[in-house]
Amino acid sequence: MAEKSRTVEVRLKRIEFTTKGAGGSRARTEHSLACTLHWPKAGTQAKTYARIVEMDGMARDYGEGDWIDAVLFRDTLQPPTAVTFQLSVPLASEAVSKAVGAILKAAFAAAGDVAASLSPTKAAGKVAAAPFDAWASTMTNRSAAVLGQATLPLDDALLSAGGERAVPLRATREITRSVPGSGRSAAPRTRRVAAKGDEVARLVLEIVPR
């Protein structure tokens, strides 16, 4: 028997990076964070919310006055379900512009019947396209756009009681970067930044029943 539907808001309390990927640990960066709900209710296979995360360093805390920047989604869910978080590497200006466009497209898709025409496939149900689809074509390899990923199960107990959850995001591939070789004629060397499965970032979430 299906559980009772629960309305819940999920927002960021803190985001921290172990690494920002091959580009190093630049202070000011922008990232795309996609949240995909899996079978949030009968007849809907998936729904994706996305936003841009602005960083000024390797960690950011969100206070009471940061709601507009912190909220990831508010939805009515039918447990059991789950949400997958996918965080991008730092985005270039052109990629940020494309990601913002995809987020607006996702917002319209989630709002009404236009979802079917905007979704990647009709078989996916009412799905808003993840922002990576909009700018992955600018990358050499689509997977290189993704810094880390994690899935959080959402059962009735969590959705009804709420609370905080720490979610480690792990690299879906080996992340490397080129470093200059020693000597004037030495070729650049490749250095591993993170192995597949390493924690690259961590989200601290606040789950608020509504």
Side-chain angles (χ1 to χ4, degrees):
M1 181 176 178
E3 296 282 358
K4 178 182 177 181
S5 294
R6 304 284 185 184
T7 300
V8 66
E9 178 179 295
V10 176
R11 56 182 181 242
L12 286 168
K13 287 208 71 176
R14 179 178 172 84
I15 181 170
E16 55 188 53
F17 287 78
T18 303
T19 178
K20 290 183 177 179
S25 300
R26 291 181 287 124
R28 293 183 179 273
T29 51
E30 292 181 298
H31 307 257
S32 181
L33 177 59
C35 313
T36 299
L37 293 163
H38 304 282
W39 289 107
K41 60 183 178 180
T44 302
Q45 183 177 353
K47 181 186 285 188
T48 296
Y49 293 90
R51 66 171 305 115
I52 297 298
V53 175
E54 298 177 341
M55 298 295 298
D56 189 8
M58 295 295 283
R60 178 178 177 181
D61 291 297
Y62 295 82
E64 289 297 323
D66 296 322
W67 181 85
I68 195 67
D69 292 324
V71 65
L72 298 179
F73 63 87
R74 182 189 291 181
D75 210 328
T76 299
L77 309 176
Q78 188 178 65
T81 180
V83 56
T84 294
F85 300 97
Q86 197 175 53
L87 181 67
S88 80
V89 297
L91 304 180
S93 298
E94 180 183 355
V96 170
S97 178
K98 290 184 177 181
V100 169
I103 290 170
L104 293 174
K105 176 180 175 180
F108 282 115
D113 292 337
V114 293
S117 63
L118 295 178
S119 61
T121 63
K122 291 183 179 180
K126 288 196 173 184
V127 181
F132 303 103
D133 291 338
W135 51 264
S137 61
T138 66
M139 306 295 180
T140 303
N141 183 330
R142 172 185 288 265
S143 65
V146 180
L147 178 66
Q149 180 173 296
T151 297
L152 175 68
L154 300 172
D155 58 17
D156 186 65
L158 179 57
L159 294 178
S160 60
E164 289 187 16
R165 289 291 186 278
V167 180
L169 303 179
R170 300 191 180 278
T172 59
R173 60 188 171 86
E174 183 177 74
I175 300 173
T176 61
R177 66 183 178 92
S178 296
V179 296
S182 57
R184 297 180 62 181
S185 60
R189 296 177 292 111
T190 298
R191 177 175 295 173
R192 187 169 72 178
V193 176
K196 181 178 179 179
D198 282 355
E199 183 175 330
V200 290
R202 179 174 292 255
L203 308 177
V204 179
L205 307 172
E206 186 172 11
I207 301 166
V208 183
R210 294 297 186 186

